[in-house]
Structure formats: C-alpha cells, structure tokens
Amino acid sequence: SLIEEKKVDATSGTGSLGHIVSGYIDIDFNVTFASTLTMQGLFSKYEAHSLKDKVEFKLDGVVVDYDDITLGRAEDGSNDWFNWKEATINFGDLASGVHTLTINFKQGCNFDCATLEFAAK
C-alpha cells in the first residue's frame, strides 16, 4: 500500500495517513440526489510550500481549482512537522450517480484527514 497510517499525538485521533511522497487516493461514492460537494483537508510540511505544488484534486478525472494555502513552520518559527493547515476545496455541483474524487500527491507532504460535506441543491 502507498499509505501507511502513523500514530502521532499531533494528529486527529492520533492517527494520520502520514507522509505521502507521491501517489493518489481515489474515493468512489454514489450521490442519490443533485448536491454540492466541499472537502476540508489537513496538510502539513515543515518547509514553506504551496499546497498546489504538492497536491491536486480531481473530480471524475477533471482537475479542480482551489484557493491555495502555504504550508510551513508554526507561527513561533519552530520546525513543527505537524503544523496542520486546513485547505478547502469546493467541487461544485454534482448530478446523481457514481463519482470519483482523486487526491493526487505530486510531491511529498503530510496528510492527516479529510472531511467531505454534501449539501442538497
């Protein structure tokens, strides 16, 4: 498996998907009614990097643009490997049916968790 869970107190529930050098996660889901999809994800990297340089998101194979964030050190300047930054990705409108969300790691960063929020249209 490309993903190995890590147990770290600084992560949600002490479980993290860990540092992903490259690879992707596909999440298949079935929507039974027209809706919208938003995802909040927690990412970190101790050097200052643009999240867009590290990760891209796709819905049904189409790259989704999002407001970029800068990963990096904690506000106190410490070299905090688990200084989680929240990214919000709005996937927009979904028709009913089966869809695939892809989180593609182009370069290494830490990934703690993702929350998917569906809302009826």
Side-chain angles (χ1 to χ4, degrees), residues 78-102:
S78 64
N79 193 1
D80 182 0
W81 186 254
F82 296 105
N83 182 32
W84 299 110
K85 307 283 181 158
E86 183 176 80
T88 300
I89 297 84
N90 294 306
F91 292 95
D93 296 341
L94 298 175
S96 61
V98 176
H99 298 276
T100 301
L101 165 62
T102 302

PDB file of all heavy atoms in Angstrom, residues 78-102:
ATOM      1  N   SER A  78       9.027  27.524  14.960  1.00  0.00           N
ATOM      2  CA  SER A  78       9.568  26.196  15.249  1.00  0.00           C
ATOM      3  C   SER A  78       9.411  25.274  14.042  1.00  0.00           C
ATOM      4  O   SER A  78       8.549  25.475  13.191  1.00  0.00           O
ATOM      5  CB  SER A  78       8.879  25.598  16.481  1.00  0.00           C
ATOM      6  OG  SER A  78       7.501  25.404  16.228  1.00  0.00           O
ATOM      7  N   ASN A  79      10.240  24.283  13.998  1.00  0.00           N
ATOM      8  CA  ASN A  79      10.248  23.328  12.902  1.00  0.00           C
ATOM      9  C   ASN A  79       9.234  22.224  13.231  1.00  0.00           C
ATOM     10  O   ASN A  79       9.586  21.111  13.560  1.00  0.00           O
ATOM     11  CB  ASN A  79      11.661  22.763  12.744  1.00  0.00           C
ATOM     12  CG  ASN A  79      11.809  22.017  11.448  1.00  0.00           C
ATOM     13  OD1 ASN A  79      10.872  21.928  10.660  1.00  0.00           O
ATOM     14  ND2 ASN A  79      12.985  21.476  11.221  1.00  0.00           N
ATOM     15  N   ASP A  80       7.969  22.575  13.137  1.00  0.00           N
ATOM     16  CA  ASP A  80       6.884  21.684  13.537  1.00  0.00           C
ATOM     17  C   ASP A  80       6.405  20.883  12.334  1.00  0.00           C
ATOM     18  O   ASP A  80       5.721  21.409  11.464  1.00  0.00           O
ATOM     19  CB  ASP A  80       5.747  22.516  14.139  1.00  0.00           C
ATOM     20  CG  ASP A  80       4.596  21.671  14.634  1.00  0.00           C
ATOM     21  OD1 ASP A  80       4.668  20.433  14.525  1.00  0.00           O
ATOM     22  OD2 ASP A  80       3.624  22.248  15.123  1.00  0.00           O
ATOM     23  N   TRP A  81       6.763  19.604  12.293  1.00  0.00           N
ATOM     24  CA  TRP A  81       6.397  18.740  11.173  1.00  0.00           C
ATOM     25  C   TRP A  81       4.884  18.613  11.035  1.00  0.00           C
ATOM     26  O   TRP A  81       4.352  18.456   9.950  1.00  0.00           O
ATOM     27  CB  TRP A  81       7.027  17.367  11.370  1.00  0.00           C
ATOM     28  CG  TRP A  81       6.840  16.436  10.224  1.00  0.00           C
ATOM     29  CD1 TRP A  81       5.997  15.371  10.161  1.00  0.00           C
ATOM     30  CD2 TRP A  81       7.479  16.482   8.955  1.00  0.00           C
ATOM     31  NE1 TRP A  81       6.075  14.745   8.945  1.00  0.00           N
ATOM     32  CE2 TRP A  81       6.997  15.418   8.185  1.00  0.00           C
ATOM     33  CE3 TRP A  81       8.426  17.318   8.402  1.00  0.00           C
ATOM     34  CZ2 TRP A  81       7.413  15.176   6.897  1.00  0.00           C
ATOM     35  CZ3 TRP A  81       8.842  17.070   7.108  1.00  0.00           C
ATOM     36  CH2 TRP A  81       8.340  16.007   6.374  1.00  0.00           C
ATOM     37  N   PHE A  82       4.157  18.693  12.157  1.00  0.00           N
ATOM     38  CA  PHE A  82       2.708  18.519  12.130  1.00  0.00           C
ATOM     39  C   PHE A  82       1.981  19.835  12.388  1.00  0.00           C
ATOM     40  O   PHE A  82       1.055  19.907  13.167  1.00  0.00           O
ATOM     41  CB  PHE A  82       2.288  17.444  13.134  1.00  0.00           C
ATOM     42  CG  PHE A  82       2.835  16.096  12.777  1.00  0.00           C
ATOM     43  CD1 PHE A  82       3.900  15.563  13.479  1.00  0.00           C
ATOM     44  CD2 PHE A  82       2.322  15.376  11.723  1.00  0.00           C
ATOM     45  CE1 PHE A  82       4.425  14.326  13.136  1.00  0.00           C
ATOM     46  CE2 PHE A  82       2.844  14.142  11.366  1.00  0.00           C
ATOM     47  CZ  PHE A  82       3.900  13.615  12.075  1.00  0.00           C
ATOM     48  N   ASN A  83       2.413  20.897  11.731  1.00  0.00           N
ATOM     49  CA  ASN A  83       1.747  22.187  11.804  1.00  0.00           C
ATOM     50  C   ASN A  83       0.634  22.187  10.750  1.00  0.00           C
ATOM     51  O   ASN A  83       0.796  22.692   9.645  1.00  0.00           O
ATOM     52  CB  ASN A  83       2.752  23.316  11.554  1.00  0.00           C
ATOM     53  CG  ASN A  83       2.120  24.667  11.666  1.00  0.00           C
ATOM     54  OD1 ASN A  83       1.191  24.858  12.447  1.00  0.00           O
ATOM     55  ND2 ASN A  83       2.602  25.607  10.888  1.00  0.00           N
ATOM     56  N   TRP A  84      -0.515  21.594  11.099  1.00  0.00           N
ATOM     57  CA  TRP A  84      -1.586  21.349  10.142  1.00  0.00           C
ATOM     58  C   TRP A  84      -2.188  22.644   9.630  1.00  0.00           C
ATOM     59  O   TRP A  84      -2.462  23.566  10.379  1.00  0.00           O
ATOM     60  CB  TRP A  84      -2.676  20.482  10.766  1.00  0.00           C
ATOM     61  CG  TRP A  84      -2.158  19.151  11.193  1.00  0.00           C
ATOM     62  CD1 TRP A  84      -1.988  18.714  12.475  1.00  0.00           C
ATOM     63  CD2 TRP A  84      -1.698  18.093  10.349  1.00  0.00           C
ATOM     64  NE1 TRP A  84      -1.455  17.447  12.465  1.00  0.00           N
ATOM     65  CE2 TRP A  84      -1.274  17.039  11.195  1.00  0.00           C
ATOM     66  CE3 TRP A  84      -1.604  17.941   8.966  1.00  0.00           C
ATOM     67  CZ2 TRP A  84      -0.765  15.849  10.677  1.00  0.00           C
ATOM     68  CZ3 TRP A  84      -1.097  16.748   8.471  1.00  0.00           C
ATOM     69  CH2 TRP A  84      -0.687  15.719   9.320  1.00  0.00           C
ATOM     70  N   LYS A  85      -2.403  22.691   8.329  1.00  0.00           N
ATOM     71  CA  LYS A  85      -3.092  23.803   7.670  1.00  0.00           C
ATOM     72  C   LYS A  85      -4.311  23.215   6.983  1.00  0.00           C
ATOM     73  O   LYS A  85      -4.240  22.160   6.341  1.00  0.00           O
ATOM     74  CB  LYS A  85      -2.208  24.466   6.616  1.00  0.00           C
ATOM     75  CG  LYS A  85      -0.843  24.890   7.105  1.00  0.00           C
ATOM     76  CD  LYS A  85      -0.897  26.142   7.921  1.00  0.00           C
ATOM     77  CE  LYS A  85       0.526  26.497   8.334  1.00  0.00           C
ATOM     78  NZ  LYS A  85       0.728  27.841   8.682  1.00  0.00           N
ATOM     79  N   GLU A  86      -5.437  23.928   7.110  1.00  0.00           N
ATOM     80  CA  GLU A  86      -6.675  23.430   6.509  1.00  0.00           C
ATOM     81  C   GLU A  86      -6.860  24.020   5.118  1.00  0.00           C
ATOM     82  O   GLU A  86      -6.742  25.231   4.927  1.00  0.00           O
ATOM     83  CB  GLU A  86      -7.877  23.789   7.377  1.00  0.00           C
ATOM     84  CG  GLU A  86      -9.175  23.216   6.816  1.00  0.00           C
ATOM     85  CD  GLU A  86     -10.356  23.474   7.718  1.00  0.00           C
ATOM     86  OE1 GLU A  86     -10.893  24.597   7.669  1.00  0.00           O
ATOM     87  OE2 GLU A  86     -10.722  22.573   8.474  1.00  0.00           O
ATOM     88  N   ALA A  87      -7.129  23.150   4.174  1.00  0.00           N
ATOM     89  CA  ALA A  87      -7.449  23.560   2.806  1.00  0.00           C
ATOM     90  C   ALA A  87      -8.912  23.225   2.549  1.00  0.00           C
ATOM     91  O   ALA A  87      -9.398  22.175   2.973  1.00  0.00           O
ATOM     92  CB  ALA A  87      -6.574  22.812   1.806  1.00  0.00           C
ATOM     93  N   THR A  88      -9.600  24.131   1.878  1.00  0.00           N
ATOM     94  CA  THR A  88     -10.995  23.906   1.498  1.00  0.00           C
ATOM     95  C   THR A  88     -11.065  23.815  -0.014  1.00  0.00           C
ATOM     96  O   THR A  88     -10.564  24.699  -0.720  1.00  0.00           O
ATOM     97  CB  THR A  88     -11.895  25.043   1.999  1.00  0.00           C
ATOM     98  OG1 THR A  88     -11.810  25.113   3.422  1.00  0.00           O
ATOM     99  CG2 THR A  88     -13.343  24.818   1.588  1.00  0.00           C
ATOM    100  N   ILE A  89     -11.672  22.746  -0.496  1.00  0.00           N
ATOM    101  CA  ILE A  89     -11.823  22.540  -1.936  1.00  0.00           C
ATOM    102  C   ILE A  89     -13.311  22.443  -2.235  1.00  0.00           C
ATOM    103  O   ILE A  89     -14.009  21.584  -1.679  1.00  0.00           O
ATOM    104  CB  ILE A  89     -11.094  21.259  -2.415  1.00  0.00           C
ATOM    105  CG1 ILE A  89      -9.583  21.382  -2.183  1.00  0.00           C
ATOM    106  CG2 ILE A  89     -11.355  21.018  -3.902  1.00  0.00           C
ATOM    107  CD1 ILE A  89      -9.135  21.019  -0.819  1.00  0.00           C
ATOM    108  N   ASN A  90     -13.792  23.342  -3.085  1.00  0.00           N
ATOM    109  CA  ASN A  90     -15.198  23.331  -3.496  1.00  0.00           C
ATOM    110  C   ASN A  90     -15.296  22.630  -4.841  1.00  0.00           C
ATOM    111  O   ASN A  90     -14.791  23.140  -5.840  1.00  0.00           O
ATOM    112  CB  ASN A  90     -15.740  24.759  -3.594  1.00  0.00           C
ATOM    113  CG  ASN A  90     -15.780  25.427  -2.244  1.00  0.00           C
ATOM    114  OD1 ASN A  90     -16.358  24.891  -1.307  1.00  0.00           O
ATOM    115  ND2 ASN A  90     -15.156  26.579  -2.131  1.00  0.00           N
ATOM    116  N   PHE A  91     -15.933  21.475  -4.839  1.00  0.00           N
ATOM    117  CA  PHE A  91     -16.061  20.700  -6.073  1.00  0.00           C
ATOM    118  C   PHE A  91     -17.277  21.109  -6.889  1.00  0.00           C
ATOM    119  O   PHE A  91     -17.419  20.699  -8.019  1.00  0.00           O
ATOM    120  CB  PHE A  91     -16.108  19.205  -5.751  1.00  0.00           C
ATOM    121  CG  PHE A  91     -14.808  18.684  -5.218  1.00  0.00           C
ATOM    122  CD1 PHE A  91     -14.594  18.588  -3.849  1.00  0.00           C
ATOM    123  CD2 PHE A  91     -13.787  18.311  -6.067  1.00  0.00           C
ATOM    124  CE1 PHE A  91     -13.393  18.122  -3.352  1.00  0.00           C
ATOM    125  CE2 PHE A  91     -12.577  17.851  -5.577  1.00  0.00           C
ATOM    126  CZ  PHE A  91     -12.380  17.759  -4.210  1.00  0.00           C
ATOM    127  N   GLY A  92     -18.160  21.892  -6.281  1.00  0.00           N
ATOM    128  CA  GLY A  92     -19.316  22.400  -7.020  1.00  0.00           C
ATOM    129  C   GLY A  92     -20.459  21.417  -7.085  1.00  0.00           C
ATOM    130  O   GLY A  92     -20.621  20.540  -6.225  1.00  0.00           O
ATOM    131  N   ASP A  93     -21.247  21.565  -8.138  1.00  0.00           N
ATOM    132  CA  ASP A  93     -22.475  20.786  -8.292  1.00  0.00           C
ATOM    133  C   ASP A  93     -22.190  19.362  -8.747  1.00  0.00           C
ATOM    134  O   ASP A  93     -21.325  19.131  -9.592  1.00  0.00           O
ATOM    135  CB  ASP A  93     -23.387  21.451  -9.326  1.00  0.00           C
ATOM    136  CG  ASP A  93     -23.867  22.820  -8.876  1.00  0.00           C
ATOM    137  OD1 ASP A  93     -23.812  23.105  -7.669  1.00  0.00           O
ATOM    138  OD2 ASP A  93     -24.303  23.600  -9.751  1.00  0.00           O
ATOM    139  N   LEU A  94     -22.953  18.448  -8.179  1.00  0.00           N
ATOM    140  CA  LEU A  94     -22.876  17.034  -8.557  1.00  0.00           C
ATOM    141  C   LEU A  94     -24.251  16.558  -9.009  1.00  0.00           C
ATOM    142  O   LEU A  94     -25.250  16.818  -8.332  1.00  0.00           O
ATOM    143  CB  LEU A  94     -22.460  16.166  -7.368  1.00  0.00           C
ATOM    144  CG  LEU A  94     -21.105  16.399  -6.744  1.00  0.00           C
ATOM    145  CD1 LEU A  94     -20.945  15.521  -5.513  1.00  0.00           C
ATOM    146  CD2 LEU A  94     -20.012  16.096  -7.748  1.00  0.00           C
ATOM    147  N   ALA A  95     -24.290  15.862 -10.118  1.00  0.00           N
ATOM    148  CA  ALA A  95     -25.513  15.184 -10.539  1.00  0.00           C
ATOM    149  C   ALA A  95     -25.607  13.863  -9.785  1.00  0.00           C
ATOM    150  O   ALA A  95     -24.612  13.369  -9.255  1.00  0.00           O
ATOM    151  CB  ALA A  95     -25.476  14.936 -12.046  1.00  0.00           C
ATOM    152  N   SER A  96     -26.793  13.304  -9.709  1.00  0.00           N
ATOM    153  CA  SER A  96     -26.911  11.990  -9.081  1.00  0.00           C
ATOM    154  C   SER A  96     -26.112  10.979  -9.895  1.00  0.00           C
ATOM    155  O   SER A  96     -25.925  11.131 -11.095  1.00  0.00           O
ATOM    156  CB  SER A  96     -28.380  11.572  -8.968  1.00  0.00           C
ATOM    157  OG  SER A  96     -28.952  11.482 -10.249  1.00  0.00           O
ATOM    158  N   GLY A  97     -25.588   9.977  -9.216  1.00  0.00           N
ATOM    159  CA  GLY A  97     -24.797   8.954  -9.880  1.00  0.00           C
ATOM    160  C   GLY A  97     -23.481   8.708  -9.168  1.00  0.00           C
ATOM    161  O   GLY A  97     -23.210   9.267  -8.103  1.00  0.00           O
ATOM    162  N   VAL A  98     -22.643   7.868  -9.768  1.00  0.00           N
ATOM    163  CA  VAL A  98     -21.362   7.487  -9.189  1.00  0.00           C
ATOM    164  C   VAL A  98     -20.287   8.495  -9.621  1.00  0.00           C
ATOM    165  O   VAL A  98     -20.220   8.863 -10.798  1.00  0.00           O
ATOM    166  CB  VAL A  98     -20.964   6.061  -9.609  1.00  0.00           C
ATOM    167  CG1 VAL A  98     -19.580   5.706  -9.083  1.00  0.00           C
ATOM    168  CG2 VAL A  98     -22.001   5.059  -9.118  1.00  0.00           C
ATOM    169  N   HIS A  99     -19.468   8.930  -8.651  1.00  0.00           N
ATOM    170  CA  HIS A  99     -18.394   9.890  -8.902  1.00  0.00           C
ATOM    171  C   HIS A  99     -17.108   9.380  -8.256  1.00  0.00           C
ATOM    172  O   HIS A  99     -17.143   8.572  -7.332  1.00  0.00           O
ATOM    173  CB  HIS A  99     -18.739  11.262  -8.317  1.00  0.00           C
ATOM    174  CG  HIS A  99     -19.949  11.880  -8.923  1.00  0.00           C
ATOM    175  ND1 HIS A  99     -19.913  12.588 -10.089  1.00  0.00           N
ATOM    176  CD2 HIS A  99     -21.248  11.864  -8.526  1.00  0.00           C
ATOM    177  CE1 HIS A  99     -21.125  13.008 -10.389  1.00  0.00           C
ATOM    178  NE2 HIS A  99     -21.955  12.578  -9.456  1.00  0.00           N
ATOM    179  N   THR A 100     -15.972   9.897  -8.720  1.00  0.00           N
ATOM    180  CA  THR A 100     -14.675   9.572  -8.137  1.00  0.00           C
ATOM    181  C   THR A 100     -13.940  10.853  -7.793  1.00  0.00           C
ATOM    182  O   THR A 100     -13.727  11.708  -8.650  1.00  0.00           O
ATOM    183  CB  THR A 100     -13.816   8.742  -9.113  1.00  0.00           C
ATOM    184  OG1 THR A 100     -14.504   7.540  -9.444  1.00  0.00           O
ATOM    185  CG2 THR A 100     -12.463   8.397  -8.484  1.00  0.00           C
ATOM    186  N   LEU A 101     -13.563  10.978  -6.525  1.00  0.00           N
ATOM    187  CA  LEU A 101     -12.732  12.068  -6.037  1.00  0.00           C
ATOM    188  C   LEU A 101     -11.314  11.527  -5.933  1.00  0.00           C
ATOM    189  O   LEU A 101     -11.087  10.482  -5.325  1.00  0.00           O
ATOM    190  CB  LEU A 101     -13.220  12.534  -4.661  1.00  0.00           C
ATOM    191  CG  LEU A 101     -12.271  13.407  -3.840  1.00  0.00           C
ATOM    192  CD1 LEU A 101     -11.969  14.705  -4.554  1.00  0.00           C
ATOM    193  CD2 LEU A 101     -12.858  13.679  -2.471  1.00  0.00           C
ATOM    194  N   THR A 102     -10.366  12.216  -6.544  1.00  0.00           N
ATOM    195  CA  THR A 102      -8.963  11.813  -6.512  1.00  0.00           C
ATOM    196  C   THR A 102      -8.145  12.880  -5.807  1.00  0.00           C
ATOM    197  O   THR A 102      -8.235  14.062  -6.155  1.00  0.00           O
ATOM    198  CB  THR A 102      -8.405  11.607  -7.932  1.00  0.00           C
ATOM    199  OG1 THR A 102      -9.191  10.614  -8.603  1.00  0.00           O
ATOM    200  CG2 THR A 102      -6.951  11.171  -7.903  1.00  0.00           C
TER     201      THR A 102
END
